[in-house]
């Protein structure tokens, strides 16, 4: 049995992010939030997400945006629910563990879970 590898470099993050958003776009609950509510430009959004996760995992300073502002804008158009967050995390964790295993993989799982929890609390406050 071959072991999966850990997340070690930007190339790995690109594979993770591309795999995750392929699932998101095909998902009947989350897909429309990007395509019909936010009108996401994927060619622009995906590189932002590579930078975001590279910064979260490797502290590269590559992401300087503010995720809360972006989500508040979309949340005002169509409120995010607990079900949306549960699905988001389910798809993210499924993609992550399908592709990788190891310390950085576990750290990524924990960071995704805690950011999602905080984001959910902050959005509910608005
Ligand atoms: C209910 C769950 C979520 C939904 C439906 C959602 C949806 C979205 C949408 C529609 C955008 C805007 C894309 C665009 O620019 O068109 C966005 C941006 C973004 N999301 Fe999420 N998101 C969710 C949770 C999360 C979580 C948990 C994280 C982090 C762990 C995250 C990280 C980001 C980042 C970094 C951006 C880019 C912000 C920027 O433009 O700088 N999202 N999200």
């Amino acid at each position: 049995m071959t072991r999966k590898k850990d997340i070690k470099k930007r190339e790995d993050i690109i594979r993770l992010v591309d795999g995750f958003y392929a699932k998101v776009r095909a998902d009947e609950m989350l897909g429309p939030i990007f395509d019909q509510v936010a009108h996401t430009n994927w060619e622009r959004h995906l590189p932002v997400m590579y930078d975001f996760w590279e910064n979260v995992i490797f502290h590269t300073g590559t992401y300087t945006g503010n995720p809360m502002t972006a989500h508040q804008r979309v949340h005002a158009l169509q409120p995010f629910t607990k079900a949306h967050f549960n699905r988001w995390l389910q798809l993210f964790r499924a993609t992550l563990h399908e592709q990788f295993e190891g310390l950085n993989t576990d750290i990524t799982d924990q960071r995704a879970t805690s950011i999602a929890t905080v984001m959910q609390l902050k959005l509910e406050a608005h």
Side-chain angles (χ1 to χ4, degrees):
M1 205 176 82
T2 49
R3 271 181 70 87
K4 292 173 206 161
K5 52 184 217 142
D6 201 0
I7 299 173
K8 295 216 178 65
K9 47 187 196 286
R10 185 172 171 93
E11 218 176 281
D12 301 327
I13 291 170
I14 292 174
R15 196 152 70 84
L16 168 67
V17 169
D18 286 352
F20 171 59
Y21 283 103
K23 285 190 170 60
V24 165
R25 293 181 75 172
D27 186 79
E28 58 185 31
M29 186 190 284
L30 297 182
I33 299 183
F34 288 85
D35 288 323
Q36 288 164 36
V37 181
H39 300 290
T40 297
N41 175 337
W42 289 99
E43 277 171 33
R44 215 167 43 207
H45 182 55
L46 291 175
V48 171
M49 299 314 294
Y50 306 151
D51 288 346
F52 174 77
W53 283 109
E54 196 179 26
N55 194 45
V56 167
I57 302 165
F58 300 122
H59 311 284
T60 45
T62 36
Y63 177 80
T64 53
N66 182 343
M68 279 320 295
T69 314
H71 293 94
Q72 267 152 3
R73 177 182 79 82
V74 181
H75 183 71
L77 298 170
Q78 189 198 301
F80 294 175
T81 64
K82 208 172 177 50
H84 290 132
F85 277 100
N86 289 344
R87 178 67 63 87
W88 190 101
L89 260 183
Q90 185 193 357
L91 295 182
F92 187 85
R93 298 185 70 233
T95 316
L96 180 67
H97 296 292
E98 265 161 31
Q99 296 185 354
F100 300 104
E101 66 185 8
L103 184 60
N104 285 339
T105 304
D106 293 342
I107 290 171
T108 304
D109 188 324
Q110 285 161 19
R111 295 291 287 141
T113 307
S114 67
I115 296 169
T117 306
V118 171
M119 193 179 277
Q120 198 172 340
L121 289 172
K122 283 191 180 165
L123 288 179
E124 272 167 12
H126 281 262

